Amino acid sequence: MSSEPTRAAALDQLYGHLQRTVGVLPSESALSLVHPAIPQARLHRGVTLPYRAGDPGDITEFFDISYWVVGIAPDAVGACFDHVVRSWIEAGWPTRTDRDAPPRAAFTQTPDRFGLSVRETADHYMSLSGSTPPFDPGGPMGAPFPESIGHLF
């Protein structure tokens, strides 16, 4: 029996990690596949890909999705980026950033092996991406990821 999570469980957990991260941002912010200022840059509903961690016999897969962070003013993007990174560090998740000035990116991995990244563009937009740990193929997909993810409260 595999120790990998089921596809449905992995997707549910990833959704929770994305929701937790947007929850540390101002209440008017949300995650969306479409940014109102750049509708031509619509993001897709995620993709399932082969994992293959160097083992040709590995048939596991992982899921990856990206969202725009919307509802924050361009001059607040830098502070929101910093707040997301700080929340990951405070959670005890190993986090790294790639530079000190825009465009910046930061990456973390949760203890349950989910990957999250936040990116700040030179044009003052921000995106949040997430990926699952590997899971065995097959099984129910669960509900598709929504067009947007907002605050719980």
Side-chain angles (χ1 to χ4, degrees), residues 44-88:
H44 60 80
R45 288 186 164 261
V47 62
T48 300
L49 298 165
Y51 181 70
R52 305 214 199 298
D55 176 2
D58 185 353
I59 61 165
T60 57
E61 299 174 330
F62 73 100
F63 179 81
D64 187 71
I65 192 165
S66 296
Y67 284 97
W68 290 109
V69 180
V70 298
I72 53 176
D75 62 349
V77 167
C80 288
F81 177 95
D82 293 337
H83 197 65
V84 166
V85 171
R86 191 169 36 259
S87 76
W88 292 343

Side-chain angles (χ1 to χ4, degrees), residues 22 25-35 67-72 126 128 147-151:
V22 75
L25 295 172
S27 60
E28 62 275 6
S29 62
L31 303 178
S32 179
L33 296 177
V34 179
H35 196 293
Y67 284 97
W68 290 109
V69 180
V70 298
I72 53 176
M126 192 165 86
L128 178 66
E147 288 276 324
S148 63
I149 300 173
H151 285 254

Side-chain angles (χ1 to χ4, degrees), residues 20-21 24 81-97 106-111 116:
R20 176 200 177 279
T21 301
V24 304
F81 177 95
D82 293 337
H83 197 65
V84 166
V85 171
R86 191 169 36 259
S87 76
W88 292 343
I89 292 168
E90 289 172 357
W93 300 348
T95 302
R96 62 183 163 82
T97 57
F107 311 90
T108 193
Q109 186 173 29
T110 68
L116 297 171

